[in-house]
């Protein structure tokens, strides 16, 4: 249903490949990437924003949400989807695949909606009412995601979101490990599952220091050259920076070398394929390399040509300004 959308390596997308024109650039030559930079994704998001299930179904034709997390993630942040998507699932009860898709969208949306209620504040600063709303939304998410996974046994994305909801609900490690294993059975090198597990292993969620980095390094070592799984190393280092009180903790020659080599063997390798949403991979490395003070960041920023994605820059105040500042520095 979907394939190699943007070709290989440093090649640019063809003029007729549904590339969304970049909006007006902000000061510093940056712009926030919309709808993964793709006109088809924009049409899908606009249909969901309008609450038009028929239009959503038509716009979904090029995609498989059971495996394309980047596209599903665009729907998960659309306000109001939670108000009508369950009714859509009921309407399509006789069509197993469409019902699974509607439940998957609902589950992903409820996970995101739950975190909107909780906010990114420290646990001690979250009110009792916020916690209650958070758990209510995550419970709905779990119900819908589990049913979607049952209806479409080959799907990977339900397990990715179940890892997120499970972390929020503090489910047992054995349950989380089973969910990770279920996802990896379907796609052993899936980056999104690995990124979720890096988050799960952070000390703030009960993990041990260094555990996430070890997991990331081992996973990438088993990946072929040019695979985007190198981003898991970049993200593990960013998480290490988030957990540390030392803002210069990544500026060690050994870490700088590790990140440079990971970039060269993944996103900057000639075998890397620019999939839909590739800019997100580059933004992870742009932030990690910048925090490490690596000159290799300039190569990454050059390829991005100002395209900014909120994740993972949200760990820094004024994310887009931070992106522009680092871009200018390198």
């Amino acid at each position: 249903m979907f394939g190699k959308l943007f070709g290989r390596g440093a090649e640019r997308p063809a003029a007729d490949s549904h590339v969304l024109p970049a909006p007006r650039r902000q000061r510093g030559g940056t712009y926030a990437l919309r709808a993964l930079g793709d006109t088809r994704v924009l049409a899908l998001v606009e249909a969901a924003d309008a609450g038009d299930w028929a239009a959503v179904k038509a716009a979904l034709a090029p995609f498989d949400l059971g495996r394309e997390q980047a596209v599903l993630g665009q729907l998960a942040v659309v306000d109001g989807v939670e108000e009508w998507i369950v009714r859509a699932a009921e309407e399509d009860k006789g069509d197993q695949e469409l019902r699974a898709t509607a439940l998957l969208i609902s589950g992903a949306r409820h996970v995101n909606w739950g975190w909107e209620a909780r906010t990114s504040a420290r646990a001690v600063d979250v009110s009792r009412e916020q916690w209650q709303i958070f758990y209510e939304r995550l419970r709905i998410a779990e119900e819908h995601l589990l049913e979607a996974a049952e209806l479409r046994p080959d799907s990977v994305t339900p397990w990715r979101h179940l890892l997120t909801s499970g972390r929020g609900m503090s489910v047992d490690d054995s349950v989380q490990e089973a969910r990770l294993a279920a996802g990896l059975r379907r796609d052993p090198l899936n980056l999104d599952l690995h990124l979720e597990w890096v988050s799960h292993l952070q000390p703030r969620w009960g993990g041990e220091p260094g555990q996430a980095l070890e997991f990331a390094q081992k996973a990438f070592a088993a990946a072929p050259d040019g695979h985007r799984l190198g981003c898991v190393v970049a993200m593990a280092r960013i998480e290490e920076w988030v957990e540390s009180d030392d803002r210069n903790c990544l500026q060690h020659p050994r870490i700088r070398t590790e990140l440079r080599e990971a970039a060269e063997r993944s996103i900057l390798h000639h075998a890397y394929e620019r999939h839909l949403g590739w800019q997100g991979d580059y933004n992870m490395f742009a932030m990690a390399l910048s925090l490490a003070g690596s000159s290799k960041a300039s190569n990454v920023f050059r390829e991005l040509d100002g395209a900014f994605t909120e994740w993972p820059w949200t760990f820094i105040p004024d994310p887009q300004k931070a992106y522009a500042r680092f871009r200018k520095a390198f």
Side-chain angles (χ1 to χ4, degrees):
M1 188 179 292
F2 62 99
K4 300 175 182 177
L5 298 172
F6 291 141
R8 299 174 65 85
E11 295 173 1
R12 300 296 187 188
D16 60 349
S17 62
H18 310 286
V19 176
L20 187 67
R24 184 176 180 180
R25 292 172 186 260
Q26 295 190 4
R27 188 175 180 180
T30 68
Y31 66 95
L33 188 71
R34 293 186 305 150
L36 305 179
D38 190 278
T39 56
R40 297 164 302 172
V41 178
L42 180 60
L44 174 60
V45 170
E46 289 178 341
D49 189 47
D52 188 340
W53 179 229
V56 168
K57 288 187 285 188
L60 279 171
F63 309 116
D64 179 0
L65 295 189
R67 291 188 171 271
E68 291 190 87
Q69 169 53 35
V71 180
L72 178 58
Q74 294 293 303
L75 294 173
V77 298
V78 177
D79 291 337
V81 164
E82 68 283 347
E83 297 175 3
W84 57 267
I85 195 68
V86 175
R87 292 197 303 273
E90 289 302 317
E91 291 172 9
D92 286 309
K93 202 165 186 177
D95 188 319
Q96 180 170 302
E97 185 163 344
L98 278 176
R99 178 171 171 79
T101 298
L103 288 167
L104 178 56
I105 296 170
S106 176
R109 172 58 190 156
H110 275 85
V111 171
N112 188 274
W113 197 34
W115 246 274
E116 287 177 12
R118 184 203 181 280
T119 75
S120 59
R122 296 181 308 164
V124 294
D125 297 324
V126 179
S127 70
R128 182 176 180 179
E129 182 182 6
Q130 284 176 295
W131 280 119
Q132 183 177 355
I133 296 171
F134 179 55
Y135 289 131
E136 285 176 357
R137 292 175 181 176
L138 291 190
R139 278 194 290 271
I140 294 172
E142 294 243 324
E143 178 185 338
H144 291 180
L145 290 167
L146 286 168
E147 185 175 350
E150 183 178 355
L151 289 171
R152 281 280 310 274
D154 61 323
S155 293
V156 178
T157 52
W159 301 105
R160 181 266 189 210
H161 287 280
L162 283 164
L163 285 173
T164 313
S165 60
R167 186 167 71 249
M169 297 183 74
S170 300
V171 303
D172 290 343
D173 280 349
S174 60
V175 176
Q176 288 289 79
E177 289 167 1
R179 291 174 173 184
L180 175 66
L184 292 179
R185 280 197 300 273
R186 290 156 176 80
D187 186 355
L189 297 179
N190 184 275
L191 175 60
D192 298 300
L193 291 170
H194 283 82
L195 291 175
E196 279 301 311
W197 202 247
V198 163
S199 294
H200 174 78
L201 294 175
Q202 293 307 309
R204 64 182 179 274
W205 294 107
E208 297 294 330
Q211 196 175 9
L213 179 61
E214 182 181 358
F215 167 77
Q217 291 169 333
K218 183 178 180 181
F220 183 45
D225 290 349
H227 199 283
R228 62 191 294 248
L229 199 56
C231 296
V232 79
V233 174
M235 201 63 227
R237 286 299 186 184
I238 291 172
E239 289 275 16
E240 184 179 298
W241 179 83
V242 171
E243 292 280 349
S244 176
D245 293 328
D246 179 7
R247 299 295 81 182
N248 298 317
C249 66
L250 300 187
Q251 295 192 13
H252 186 286
R254 174 178 52 81
I255 295 175
R256 200 174 293 142
T257 298
E258 175 192 44
L259 288 169
R260 174 180 57 79
E261 291 178 348
E264 290 173 346
R265 197 169 81 79
S266 56
I267 63 167
L268 298 179
H269 194 276
H270 66 85
Y272 175 81
E273 297 185 354
R274 290 196 173 179
H275 59 97
L276 185 59
W278 64 269
Q279 297 91 337
D281 295 354
Y282 273 66
N283 269 263
M284 278 185 267
F285 265 108
M287 181 173 173
L289 289 163
S290 295
L291 292 173
S294 172
S295 60
K296 186 58 69 172
S298 64
N299 299 63
V300 180
F301 280 118
R302 183 169 57 251
E303 292 300 314
L304 281 168
D305 193 26
F308 159 83
T309 59
E310 282 196 16
W311 182 260
W313 297 95
T314 48
F315 284 123
I316 303 178
D318 294 322
Q320 193 163 350
K321 287 184 179 179
Y323 172 100
R325 184 172 69 251
F326 279 122
R327 180 178 182 234
K328 184 177 180 181
F330 290 98

